[in-house]
């Protein structure tokens, strides 16, 4: 291993990290703008042209607010909760392939932090870790509302992880690989997995909503019952971390969905465009296409948030356990039989 | 099958963790230093809709949540067993399909038992 490898990876990771923070920042503005549009309002328009600097103003405000650590709380865990929440949100993007190999400064660089052969399992593991941040933060607050929000969050996240895992198994029957790079490459042309796994995609989408605690599954922060849910006691940047982690999670899960089911950086007519643009700008166009898909998913997340009301808790659990799990198992059986009968062995 | 991943392949994940950790620590320290500090005893008690807080939150809660967690552990372990089969689906052939269907049938029986027992009924 050489020093250039380390530098190259650090630079690439920092760029992707900054990019994901930027997308998450502007998602907060987009959320408010889309909410305003759907409710026939104007939305934030004071900070900069069209409210363009609103996320920066919000960020500065978060920094300048007073930090409150309640006396009855567990101080160490109270700080560890939001830190863990944003940490797990930030490391998920390491295995996502952002584009084909690119020629830059006379070198071939992979547009992916690392291509490990258990990429999906890594994502799955990081998603599971996400619940710790909320659980620890909510428990450490020593507030009844926070505790209830945290327990709801934990129980909801683990419940929806099972159908999520099952829907990925059906996808693996089609791809036969756990590496996200392989899966993206297999969808070259217009062979997108969503055409082979429509039901699996739907299950995965619903689970992604539940895992990111987005409406209609945002019971952990159900303000009509639980004040602020698991972050009732939080203020300043610690509250900001919890809110920000949600948007980063949304970005990462959109990227995962785009890669697994919607061809990642592939688009129809890619070979022609690549031969036209050359080895530097061709992959960049692919990356732009992937980001377009991600933005489309983020828009969908927001559209749903401002359209559908929140579930009741028993409805949420019934949907997860009694509908999604049997559906996902049926999907595996169906996919297995069809693959075996149509393709043979 | 794809090539085996070597430990070097996992290094960038550690790099990413370092970058993320750096971001978190720096932000936490800056916000701690920059924010105002005007603490009063009323401000630091747990929020309970404006009334005086009664007891604290370290008390028992519904057993249902615990039950869900236990069921999750059971089912998630079973789900992980299916991953190697799904990846090697073509190599195992029909024998693999039949074996996995028997496994899933057993899993489904357990699932039906859980449902019939009412472990997932919330009122």
């Amino acid at each position: 291993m050489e020093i250039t490898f380390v530098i190259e990876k650090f630079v690439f990771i920092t760029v992707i990290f900054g990019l994901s923070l930027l997308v998450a920042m502007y998602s907060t503005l987009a959320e408010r703008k889309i909410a305003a549009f759907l409710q026939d309002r104007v939305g934030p328009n004071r900070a900069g042209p069209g409210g363009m600097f609103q996320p920066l103003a919000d960020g500065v405000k978060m920094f300048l607010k007073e930090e409150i650590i309640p006396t009855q709380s567990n101080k160490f865990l109270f700080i560890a909760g939001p830190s863990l929440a944003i940490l797990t949100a930030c490391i998920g993007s390491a295995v996502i392939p952002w584009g084909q190999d690119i020629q830059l400064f006379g070198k071939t660089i992979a547009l992916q932090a690392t291509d490990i052969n258990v990429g999906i399992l890594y994502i799955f593991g990081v998603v599971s870790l996400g619940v710790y941040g909320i659980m620890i933060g909510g428990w450490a607050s020593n507030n009844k509302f926070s505790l209830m929000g945290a327990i709801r969050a934990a129980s909801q996240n683990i419940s929806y992880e099972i159908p999520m895992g099952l829907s990925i198994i059906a996808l693996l029957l089609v791809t036969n690989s756990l590496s996200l790079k392989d899966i993206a490459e297999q969808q070259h042309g217009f062979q997108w997995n969503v055409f082979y796994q429509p039901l699996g995609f739907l299950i995965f989408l619903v689970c992604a909503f539940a895992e990111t605690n987005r409406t209609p599954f945002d019971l952990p922060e159900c303000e009509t019952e639980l004040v602020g849910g698991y972050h009732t006691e939080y203020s300043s940047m610690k509250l900001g971390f919890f809110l920000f982690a949600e948007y980063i999670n949304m970005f990462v899960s959109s990227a995962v969905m785009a890669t697994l089911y919607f061809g990642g950086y592939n688009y129809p007519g890619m070979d022609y465009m690549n031969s036209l643009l050359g080895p530097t700008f061709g992959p960049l166009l692919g990356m732009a296409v992937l980001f377009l898909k991600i933005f489309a998913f983020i828009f969908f997340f927001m559209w749903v948030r401002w359209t559908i009301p929140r579930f009741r808790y028993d409805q949420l659990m019934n949907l997860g356990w009694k509908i999604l799990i049997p559906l996902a198992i049926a999907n595996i059986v169906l996919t297995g039989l069809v693959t075996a009968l149509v393709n043979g062995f | 099958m794809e090539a085996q991943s070597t430990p070097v392949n996992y290094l960038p994940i550690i790099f990413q963790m370092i970058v993320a950790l750096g971001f978190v620590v720096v932000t936490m320290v800056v916000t701690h230093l920059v924010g105002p500090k005007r603490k009063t005893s009323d401000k630091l008690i747990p929020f309970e809709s404006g009334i005086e807080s009664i007891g604290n939150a370290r008390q028992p809660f519904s057993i249902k949540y615990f039950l869900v967690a236990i069921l999750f552990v059971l089912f998630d372990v079973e789900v992980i067993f299916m991953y190697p089969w799904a990846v090697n689906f073509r190599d195992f052939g029909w024998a693999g399909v039949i074996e996995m269907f028997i496994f899933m049938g057993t899993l489904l029986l357990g699932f039906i038992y859980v449902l019939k027992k009412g472990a997932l009924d919330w009122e």
Side-chain angles (χ1 to χ4, degrees):
Chain A
M1 194 186 66
E2 309 137 37
I3 193 77
T4 50
F5 169 80
V6 176
I7 293 171
E8 181 194 311
K9 286 297 175 196
F10 258 108
V11 169
F12 180 76
I13 286 168
T14 313
V15 167
I16 289 295
F17 187 73
L19 218 55
S20 57
L21 289 187
L22 196 73
V23 170
M25 260 174 79
Y26 274 90
S27 296
T28 61
L29 176 65
E31 172 107 55
R32 295 171 69 181
K33 279 287 187 190
I34 289 167
F37 172 71
L38 291 176
Q39 297 171 344
D40 209 9
R41 295 185 281 115
V42 180
N45 64 350
R46 296 289 145 163
M52 277 311 283
F53 302 130
Q54 188 65 42
L56 297 176
D58 286 341
V60 170
K61 186 192 79 178
M62 286 288 185
F63 272 115
L64 294 177
K65 286 286 173 183
E66 181 175 1
E67 241 187 336
I68 289 176
I69 300 178
T71 40
Q72 294 188 29
S73 66
N74 186 320
K75 196 175 177 207
F76 174 71
L77 290 178
F78 192 78
I79 296 170
S83 312
L84 208 61
I86 196 149
L87 203 65
T88 50
C90 285
I91 58 177
S93 58
V95 293
I96 292 167
W98 301 100
Q100 290 170 312
D101 292 354
I102 190 172
Q103 290 273 345
L104 217 59
F105 315 119
K107 272 188 69 176
T108 306
I109 297 173
L111 282 180
Q112 184 181 19
T114 180
D115 178 26
I116 53 176
N117 61 1
V118 290
I120 293 182
L121 287 181
Y122 172 78
I123 295 259
F124 207 51
V126 170
V127 167
S128 314
L129 281 177
V131 72
Y132 280 101
I134 294 174
M135 188 72 204
I136 289 174
W139 186 82
S141 304
N142 201 350
N143 178 316
K144 284 147 206 151
F145 297 117
S146 303
L147 181 71
M148 277 189 245
I151 296 167
R152 278 187 182 185
S155 149
Q156 164 186 335
N157 282 17
I158 61 179
S159 296
Y160 279 79
E161 239 159 67
I162 302 169
M164 192 181 227
L166 288 170
S167 68
I168 290 175
I169 287 169
L171 180 74
L172 290 180
L173 292 176
V174 178
T175 63
N176 287 314
S177 172
L178 281 163
S179 150
L180 287 167
K181 180 86 179 169
D182 282 1
I183 292 173
E185 284 294 327
Q186 282 171 10
Q187 301 176 68
H188 188 68
F190 206 46
Q191 305 274 317
W192 292 359
N193 284 330
V194 68
F195 302 130
Y196 304 102
Q197 281 293 318
L199 182 60
F201 168 67
L202 261 179
I203 296 168
F204 194 93
L205 185 72
V206 173
C207 294
F209 273 84
E211 292 289 327
T212 49
N213 295 329
R214 292 286 299 184
T215 321
F217 306 109
D218 61 344
L219 284 118
E221 43 190 305
C222 178
E223 64 273 354
T224 47
E225 301 164 22
L226 295 180
V227 191
Y230 59 88
H231 50 56
T232 303
E233 293 291 346
Y234 281 93
S235 68
S236 168
M237 206 59 197
K238 293 207 265 314
L239 172 68
F241 272 176
F242 271 133
L243 303 182
F244 212 52
E246 179 181 319
Y247 284 93
I248 297 177
N249 275 330
M250 214 160 79
F251 172 68
V252 172
S253 55
S254 297
V256 170
M257 278 192 284
T259 307
L260 289 182
Y261 291 99
F262 280 83
Y265 47 78
N266 292 294
Y267 53 93
M270 191 182 190
D271 292 326
Y272 174 72
M273 288 307 282
N274 271 353
S275 64
L276 212 66
L277 292 170
T280 305
F281 292 104
L284 277 182
L285 183 64
M287 197 171 170
V289 168
L290 175 59
F291 269 92
L292 264 182
K293 290 172 185 173
I294 292 171
F295 293 153
F297 270 116
I298 292 179
F299 173 72
F300 184 69
F301 268 101
M302 290 168 183
W303 186 11
V304 167
R305 171 164 181 187
W306 298 103
T307 309
I308 297 178
R310 187 180 286 135
F311 274 83
R312 213 171 56 217
Y313 198 74
D314 59 324
Q315 293 171 330
L316 169 96
M317 285 315 222
N318 280 345
L319 177 68
W321 285 91
K322 294 180 183 165
I323 296 174
L324 286 184
I325 290 181
L327 255 181
I329 291 179
N331 188 37
I332 294 175
V333 172
L334 201 72
T335 313
L337 285 179
V338 168
T339 319
L341 289 174
V342 173
N343 296 354
F345 286 107
Chain B
M1 279 313 290
E2 71 257 41
Q4 288 286 305
S5 290
T6 54
V8 175
N9 291 115
Y10 291 90
L11 260 183
I13 290 179
I14 295 177
F15 296 166
Q16 179 127 8
M17 282 178 190
I18 293 170
V19 172
L21 197 67
F23 166 73
V24 170
V25 169
V26 168
T27 314
M28 276 297 199
V29 169
V30 168
T31 184
H32 180 72
L33 295 177
V34 166
K37 290 166 193 69
R38 287 186 290 271
K39 312 224 180 288
T40 62
S41 62
D42 276 354
K43 202 190 271 182
L44 296 180
I45 58 170
F47 177 78
E48 228 168 88
S49 310
I51 57 168
E52 246 171 84
S53 61
I54 299 163
N56 68 9
R58 306 274 183 266
Q59 47 188 327
F61 51 84
S62 173
I63 190 79
K64 284 280 178 194
Y65 293 102
F66 177 71
L67 208 56
V68 167
I70 291 289
L71 289 176
F72 161 74
V73 172
L74 283 178
F75 280 95
D76 211 40
V77 169
E78 316 289 320
V79 168
I80 290 299
F81 279 140
M82 294 185 198
Y83 275 82
W85 166 70
V87 174
N88 298 309
F89 181 64
R90 285 183 215 286
D91 301 334
F92 285 155
W94 277 109
V97 172
I98 291 163
E99 278 170 12
M100 191 40 80
F101 280 7
I102 293 171
F103 177 75
M104 277 185 342
T106 331
L107 182 67
L108 218 55
L109 274 182
F111 184 64
I112 291 166
Y113 175 76
V114 168
L115 286 186
K116 288 275 177 225
K117 269 283 179 188
L120 296 168
D121 290 337
W122 299 73
E123 62 245 23

